[in-house]
Amino acid sequence: MGGSENGGWAHDATQRIAGLDGLRGLAVSLVLGFHLYPRLIPGGWLGVSLFFTLSGFLITTVILRDIEKGTFTFSAFYARRIRRLVPAAVLILTLFALTWTVLGWFDENHRSDVLFALLQISNWQQIWEGVPYGAALASPVVHYWSLAIEEQAYLVLPLLIVLSGRTRLLKVAVGLFVLSAL
């Protein structure tokens, strides 16, 4: 990527970066390993962190590529995100709600979980309710917190990139890193 004609900021979206597939596989393996064998593989959060980092890199690359080509629009960006992520999320939530309703297990708490998951704010629900991750896995949709964080980042990231411009992107990234660390 470094010496490309576009200054190294973005690559062709159709170009596959094989190493990222390996990192994605490692991330998923860490998360699954943690859930299957938590004492043997206690670093599931490392997999989540790696996956978020890869997602951030890839989505930033797409945004910068579109900006450089002069084709970036917020509406097109958000429409792509919605088409890519929302149908599967809604399908799973619908199947969960229907199945648990038929089994007689769907209660007010689960309705609340599904609503927060649909609104992409499950992470905030867990914070508001004071439930640390992993403390209570009573709801099959508890893991929607990670999708919520990703969706919230997709709301903010394009705005920051467009507002900051390429020359200040590094300063913004460092500032966000410091802010998130605090």
Side-chain angles (χ1 to χ4, degrees), residues 4 12 17 38 40 50 61 67-68 70 72 80 86-87 91-92 94 100 128 133 142 155 165-166 169 176:
S4 69
D12 182 0
I17 304 173
L40 182 63
L50 177 57
T61 300
I67 288 172
E68 287 181 351
F72 179 82
R80 280 194 309 263
V86 171
L91 174 66
I92 295 301
T94 302
W100 278 43
W128 292 323
Y133 180 73
V142 71
L155 287 174
R166 276 179 50 178
L169 183 59
L176 288 174

Side-chain angles (χ1 to χ4, degrees), residues 71-85:
T71 60
F72 179 82
T73 65
F74 288 103
S75 59
F77 173 79
Y78 293 125
R80 280 194 309 263
R81 298 295 95 212
I82 289 168
R83 281 193 309 270
R84 180 172 169 85
L85 298 170

Side-chain angles (χ1 to χ4, degrees), residues 34-102:
F34 169 73
H35 285 291
L36 294 172
Y37 307 102
R39 291 183 185 185
L40 182 63
I41 306 172
W45 60 272
L46 290 171
V48 172
S49 182
L50 177 57
F51 199 82
F52 282 157
T53 302
L54 290 170
S55 182
F57 168 76
L58 291 170
I59 205 66
T60 301
T61 300
V62 167
I63 293 167
L64 290 173
R65 180 208 61 217
D66 288 352
I67 288 172
E68 287 181 351
K69 288 177 17 184
T71 60
F72 179 82
T73 65
F74 288 103
S75 59
F77 173 79
Y78 293 125
R80 280 194 309 263
R81 298 295 95 212
I82 289 168
R83 281 193 309 270
R84 180 172 169 85
L85 298 170
V86 171
V90 169
L91 174 66
I92 295 301
L93 289 169
T94 302
L95 290 175
F96 160 69
L98 290 173
T99 302
W100 278 43
T101 298
V102 168

